[in-house]
Amino acid sequence: MKTYDVIVVGSGSGGEIVDAAVSHGMSVAWIDKGALGGTCLNVGCIPSKMIIHPADRIMEIVEAKKLGITVEIKDIDFQAIMQRVQRPIQESHEATKQGISHAKNLEYYNDVGYFINDYTLQVSGTEIKGEKIFLGSGARPLIPPIKGLDAVPYLTNENVFDVREKPDSMVIIGGGYIAVEFAHFFSAVGTNVTMFQRGNRLIPNAEPEISEVLQKQLMKRMQIYLNTEVLEVQKQGNSVTVKGKNNMTGKEIMVSAEKIFVAAGRKSNADLLKVENTGVRTNAQGYIVVNEYLETSKQNIWAFGDAIGKAMFKH
């Protein structure tokens, strides 16, 4: 068994703790099952804002006529937009890898780690123990139990940036900020977008007036079904048919599209860590419970970021 002063799970904000611990001469184990940089760098804040920027420019040009400006968009190079997103991500990966290779007393495990006992994890076939442990393990897309969904290919924020050809049509399941961001982007570049939101408004955690204005603007270029539960998904040839039902009227809605994008919420990665094996408590939704100092129910174990389900934004 290897023993460390500090174990950090997650390479998003966890990197700040790693940096501080290493600079103070501590021995550190750094664990992440995914790409270096966590959600924000790879599939969250940075790439999403890099596609929203050109979408904003497109809509400004489209709406310029109301300001007395006559302009025309001749072409939108979808592939170039998506490729541009990857450059800063790759540059950051290389810089972080360089830092890891030169750091003393730091071992990086690019694998799923999970607790097997108090303060003890199994990772890459090795048992490791930490005096202090920090869990910035993040979250992943919540995939709702919709009939037929597991039998069709669908997009989430984790694989959408791999798309290189613009879809002609898309159904987005969800109405939160991730769903709205991608609805804005894809509709701006020319995809026919339909949104299914089970709640009674978009971005339900925002002020109602903001939701109302947002919905009014987005409905100028896409179809939005509120109070609508998705019941079933079926693949038909090269398209996918989505069946929904209005919770208020009982009316059924059928929409066919080339792609489905699922943005129905988030799920903490705490279950992958098996935190119960080290005495860390989670709530009914699976998020790690912490106090105001980010302390968990187990002494010398802290948790932060998306893993605790508070403000699920990096900045």
Side-chain angles (χ1 to χ4, degrees):
M1 180 187 294
K2 291 186 176 182
T3 302
Y4 299 89
D5 296 321
V6 173
I7 294 176
V8 178
V9 180
S11 66
S13 294
E16 298 175 32
I17 295 172
V18 170
D19 184 52
V22 169
S23 67
H24 283 78
M26 297 177 177
S27 61
V28 180
W30 197 7
I31 304 170
D32 198 314
K33 66 180 176 63
L36 277 165
T39 296
C40 179
L41 172 66
N42 295 287
V43 294
C45 330
I46 291 173
S48 71
K49 302 314 171 285
M50 287 186 72
I51 62 170
I52 285 172
H53 185 68
D56 288 347
R57 298 294 79 77
I58 291 167
M59 295 313 301
E60 285 177 0
I61 293 168
V62 169
E63 296 176 354
K65 191 174 182 180
K66 67 185 180 184
L67 302 175
I69 305 168
T70 302
V71 287
E72 179 185 358
I73 296 174
K74 290 188 176 180
D75 181 55
I76 297 172
D77 191 336
F78 182 84
Q79 188 172 31
I81 291 172
M82 301 305 281
Q83 286 175 339
R84 175 177 172 269
V85 169
Q86 298 303 320
R87 286 197 292 271
I89 296 174
Q90 294 304 319
E91 289 169 4
S92 183
H93 285 171
E94 292 305 315
T96 307
K97 287 176 184 176
Q98 282 283 98
I100 290 172
S101 67
H102 289 95
K104 295 180 179 179
N105 300 321
L106 171 62
E107 290 190 70
Y108 180 68
Y109 297 87
N110 188 198
D111 204 349
V112 176
Y114 57 93
F115 286 97
I116 57 174
N117 211 330
D118 281 350
Y119 307 104
T120 305
L121 294 100
Q122 176 97 22
V123 58
S124 299
T126 303
E127 290 184 18
I128 63 174
K129 191 167 187 175
E131 184 178 329
K132 290 179 169 59
I133 299 176
F134 298 85
L135 307 177
S137 48
R140 61 190 188 273
L142 173 68
I143 307 303
I146 297 170
K147 182 180 179 182
L149 184 59
D150 58 349
V152 303
Y154 56 84
L155 297 170
T156 69
N157 74 294
E158 292 189 342
N159 62 359
V160 68
F161 298 106
D162 297 328
V163 175
R164 289 294 177 270
E165 292 186 15
K166 177 184 72 69
D168 290 330
S169 55
M170 175 181 289
V171 169
I172 296 179
I173 300 174
Y177 66 90
I178 295 176
V180 166
E181 283 181 341
F182 285 98
H184 167 50
F185 168 68
F186 279 105
S187 66
V189 298
T191 299
N192 183 7
V193 173
T194 302
M195 297 184 72
F196 284 84
Q197 160 68 321
R198 67 189 299 184
N200 61 3
R201 61 188 175 98
L202 299 177
I203 51 170
N205 292 329
E207 294 290 337
E209 292 84 358
I210 293 175
S211 296
E212 184 179 345
V213 171
L214 179 68
Q215 181 186 336
K216 182 179 178 181
Q217 292 300 316
L218 290 181
M219 285 187 72
K220 293 177 181 178
R221 51 190 165 108
M222 67 185 71
Q223 183 68 54
I224 299 173
Y225 294 102
L226 300 179
N227 299 303
T228 302
E229 193 82 32
V230 176
L231 304 177
E232 187 177 355
V233 172
Q234 289 183 340
K235 186 166 179 58
Q236 295 182 337
N238 294 325
S239 65
V240 181
T241 298
V242 179
K243 178 181 177 182
K245 183 178 181 180
N246 187 293
N247 297 324
M248 310 291 286
T249 65
K251 181 182 177 182
E252 290 192 351
I253 302 144
M254 301 278 282
V255 177
S256 293
E258 183 183 337
K259 297 286 187 182
I260 290 182
F261 187 101
V262 180
R266 306 291 287 171
K267 178 179 175 67
S268 173
N269 287 328
D271 59 328
L272 304 178
L273 280 171
K274 301 181 181 179
V275 294
E276 66 277 5
N277 292 338
T278 192
V280 168
R281 193 160 59 87
T282 57
N283 63 18
Q285 289 75 42
Y287 291 102
I288 298 173
V289 176
V290 296
N291 63 15
E292 60 183 310
Y293 304 108
L294 302 180
E295 296 169 320
T296 70
S297 55
K298 189 74 169 181
Q299 188 175 7
N300 288 331
I301 299 182
W302 293 260
F304 55 94
D306 290 6
I308 66 175
K310 304 291 184 184
M312 299 180 74
F313 297 94
K314 165 75 174 177
H315 303 287

